[in-house]
Amino acid sequence: MNIGVIGINHNLAPINIREHVSFTDIQKIEAINYFLDRDIEEVVILSTCNRSEIYIQAKNIDEKIKLVEDFYEEFFYAKGIKEYLFSKKYTSAIEHLFKVASGLDSIVLGEDQILGQVKDAHDFSMQLGSSKKIFNKLFREAVNIAKDIKNTTKISHQPLSISYIGIKFLQNKVGNLEGKKALVIGIGKMNRLTMKYLEEEKLDTIYVSNRSHGKVIELESEFKNIVPIRYEDRYKVMNDVDIVISATASPHMIIRYDEMPEIQRKIFMMDIALPRDIDPKINELENIEVYDIDNLKDIHDKNDKKRKELAKIGYEMISEKIIEFTEWLDSIKIDPTIESLNDKCLEIREDTLEYIYRKTNLNNRDKKIIDKMLTSALKRLIREPIINLKQTKDKGKREEYIKLVEELFEL
């Protein structure tokens, strides 16, 4: 089993190192041709923001792994890059690919995006002819096990971001967010995610307020149903909304108890800022419920723990798939012998028919009958050896049997 993977990823290197060894498509073509010219039989390059990995299939795998390590240093003019590189071979390399495709080696455990990136990397290599029988099978199995793990565990359904958990928390409180109205205060990274999730829930209107009003106006081209509200007017829309979500970097509270208007409708407020944006005393007001990140922490921790538990199921499924794949790899070792047997039969058939046709005066019908009878007889001759080859699971016995067949048939 001459399979290896060499590369760099988020587990070993910071982004400034990873981005230095990221492949463009043109660089992939250049690299793949470089490896094919140096007796590496199959190559797939997976290059994303979190990883740059080169999968190879070749004889003398240790020698070829060193070749790839040297390539990284020379191709990217990156002295010292080897201290960040990892390499795996044999079943460890297969296991690594299966984990990567399944999102079990990602920053966010179980994330979905990597599966598409693995597919694209394999497709790219197939188009260049650098993924053949073994890697076509290997990468198909990687995609299949990833889908099986996701369908079995639903691991990617366990939310991890505070923004997402906060929206789902409010959704449970409100019942259904579709057609509702929200006020979002702050437009940092967390609330940009919040607005994305709110859009997915098909809210009617999303009022957005920020100290810098100009930055809010810029969001109108990025999000639908956005209504910019000046920061000083944030209290004025309270009676028009169903939920309020605040996440600013303010060092003090920005929604104060003594400034709240009388609320005529039920409002749920989610404070995902630290320090808090919303005065917890507002909870005492009629029609208002206030929640903060402490209310979400247990959900987040449970989801993270749940993902890790589900990942264990994924690891077990991967172990089973590795056994299946390695058995298949062992089985194809008999392919050259079977091919040689078939070639031997073809050679005997052609020589025999040539001699018969030369020595006799047969019509076309008789020639076809003799051809079919001779072909059938030769197939019957090699059928049992081929069946025995396929059914012999013990590696030692299989190798002995291959040697015996090759000697008997002079292959």
Side-chain angles (χ1 to χ4, degrees):
M1 187 196 305
N2 298 311
I3 295 172
V5 57
I6 308 92
I8 195 167
N9 58 34
H10 61 88
N11 295 316
L12 300 171
I15 190 168
N16 64 304
I17 300 294
R18 299 199 306 273
E19 65 187 3
H20 195 62
V21 292
S22 178
F23 286 88
T24 64
D25 283 351
I26 294 208
Q27 287 175 321
K28 283 183 185 178
I29 294 170
E30 187 178 346
I32 286 171
N33 286 324
Y34 175 89
F35 295 129
L36 293 178
D37 288 342
R38 284 157 180 78
D39 297 325
I40 291 179
E41 296 174 28
E42 299 184 69
V43 187
V44 173
I45 297 177
L46 177 62
S47 185
T48 73
C49 60
N50 287 324
R51 64 185 72 245
S52 169
E53 298 176 351
I54 300 175
Y55 295 82
I56 61 172
Q57 191 273 118
K59 296 175 182 176
N60 303 318
I61 193 68
D62 290 318
E63 174 189 316
K64 301 307 182 187
I65 285 174
K66 185 180 184 308
L67 185 148
V68 177
E69 290 173 343
D70 291 341
F71 168 85
Y72 265 109
E73 187 173 69
E74 295 164 10
F75 188 75
F76 291 106
Y77 305 102
K79 286 188 177 180
I81 196 68
K82 288 183 181 180
E83 68 178 280
Y84 296 102
L85 290 175
F86 75 91
S87 66
K88 298 175 186 288
K89 58 186 177 180
Y90 312 136
T91 54
S92 293
I94 297 168
E95 180 183 37
H96 178 78
L97 174 60
F98 288 174
K99 285 181 178 178
V100 168
S102 304
L104 300 182
D105 191 61
S106 297
I107 292 175
V108 178
L109 200 62
E111 60 99 356
D112 290 321
Q113 187 180 11
I114 187 64
L115 178 57
Q117 293 167 330
V118 169
K119 286 181 185 176
D120 290 343
H122 179 229
D123 288 343
F124 192 88
S125 287
M126 282 200 296
Q127 290 173 19
L128 292 177
S130 67
S131 180
K132 302 169 189 174
K133 181 173 183 175
I134 291 177
F135 269 15
N136 286 346
K137 172 76 170 177
L138 175 63
F139 278 80
R140 280 199 302 269
E141 292 302 323
V143 170
N144 289 338
I145 189 61
K147 290 179 178 178
D148 289 345
I149 288 171
K150 290 178 189 300
N151 290 335
T152 301
T153 65
K154 309 295 182 188
I155 190 169
S156 58
H157 293 191
Q158 304 296 321
L160 286 179
S161 78
I162 292 295
S163 298
Y164 186 88
I165 294 172
I167 297 299
K168 291 303 178 184
F169 184 90
L170 291 174
Q171 189 178 39
N172 288 334
K173 296 293 181 182
V174 176
N176 185 359
L177 294 179
E178 185 174 352
K180 303 294 185 182
K181 295 181 180 181
L183 168 62
V184 175
I185 306 174
I187 56 171
K189 183 178 179 180
M190 195 174 290
N191 261 354
R192 283 176 180 265
L193 274 175
T194 297
M195 286 183 274
K196 174 180 174 289
Y197 295 136
L198 287 175
E199 270 196 345
E200 291 174 358
E201 298 298 333
K202 300 178 181 179
L203 271 75
D204 178 68
T205 305
I206 304 172
Y207 297 107
V208 182
S209 181
N210 191 64
R211 285 187 185 275
S212 176
H213 190 63
K215 291 183 178 179
V216 179
I217 294 174
E218 292 172 4
L219 291 176
E220 289 184 284
S221 61
E222 187 178 345
F223 296 96
K224 298 176 182 178
N225 303 331
I226 291 291
V227 177
I229 296 293
R230 291 193 174 277
Y231 185 72
E232 57 269 22
D233 294 335
R234 62 194 183 280
Y235 290 103
K236 294 180 180 179
V237 296
M238 290 288 186
N239 267 304
D240 295 328
V241 300
D242 303 284
I243 60 174
V244 176
I245 302 171
S246 188
T248 74
S250 174
H252 49 74
M253 293 178 185
I254 62 165
I255 301 180
R256 301 181 181 86
Y257 174 83
D258 54 5
E259 294 182 26
M260 280 293 296
E262 186 177 346
I263 301 300
Q264 305 297 325
R265 57 190 293 166
K266 188 71 174 179
I267 299 180
F268 296 91
M269 293 186 171
M270 176 60 66
D271 186 351
I272 51 177
L274 194 68
R276 285 181 289 183
D277 282 344
I278 302 173
D279 189 341
K281 194 177 179 183
I282 292 175
N283 236 331
E284 300 173 6
L285 298 175
E286 192 175 357
N287 293 326
I288 303 178
E289 292 183 24
V290 180
Y291 301 95
D292 58 33
I293 55 176
D294 278 355
N295 296 109
L296 305 180
K297 187 177 183 301
D298 286 344
I299 301 172
H300 179 275
D301 290 347
K302 285 177 184 176
N303 284 332
D304 193 26
K305 183 180 179 182
K306 183 66 175 176
R307 281 197 178 211
K308 289 177 180 176
E309 289 173 357
L310 293 173
K312 292 178 182 177
I313 298 173
Y315 297 146
E316 291 174 4
M317 294 173 68
I318 284 173
S319 295
E320 293 173 7
K321 183 63 72 174
I322 289 172
I323 292 171
E324 288 178 22
F325 182 76
T326 52
E327 286 178 352
W328 175 82
L329 271 180
D330 284 336
S331 73
I332 65 172
K333 290 178 180 177
I334 67 173
D335 287 356
T337 303
I338 293 173
E339 186 177 349
S340 295
L341 279 172
N342 285 318
D343 288 345
K344 187 76 172 181
C345 286
L346 182 61
E347 179 186 345
I348 294 170
R349 170 183 166 275
E350 290 177 349
D351 290 346
T352 305
L353 288 176
E354 192 275 333
Y355 180 82
I356 292 172
Y357 294 161
R358 183 161 41 85
K359 294 293 185 179
T360 60
N361 186 22
L362 300 171
N363 59 37
N364 286 334
R365 180 177 177 277
D366 289 339
K367 286 181 178 179
K368 287 180 180 178
I369 290 172
I370 290 173
D371 188 354
K372 287 183 179 179
M373 290 180 66
L374 180 59
T375 301
S376 177
L378 289 169
K379 283 185 176 179
R380 192 164 66 249
L381 177 67
I382 65 172
R383 185 173 293 121
E384 286 301 321
I386 288 175
I387 290 173
N388 288 334
L389 277 171
K390 290 181 176 178
Q391 290 181 345
T392 303
K393 301 298 182 183
D394 184 273
K395 292 181 183 179
K397 288 182 179 179
R398 186 192 298 131
E399 288 176 3
E400 288 178 8
Y401 196 74
I402 288 173
K403 186 178 180 181
L404 178 63
V405 168
E406 289 175 348
E407 288 176 354
L408 283 172
F409 287 87
E410 298 181 349
L411 300 179

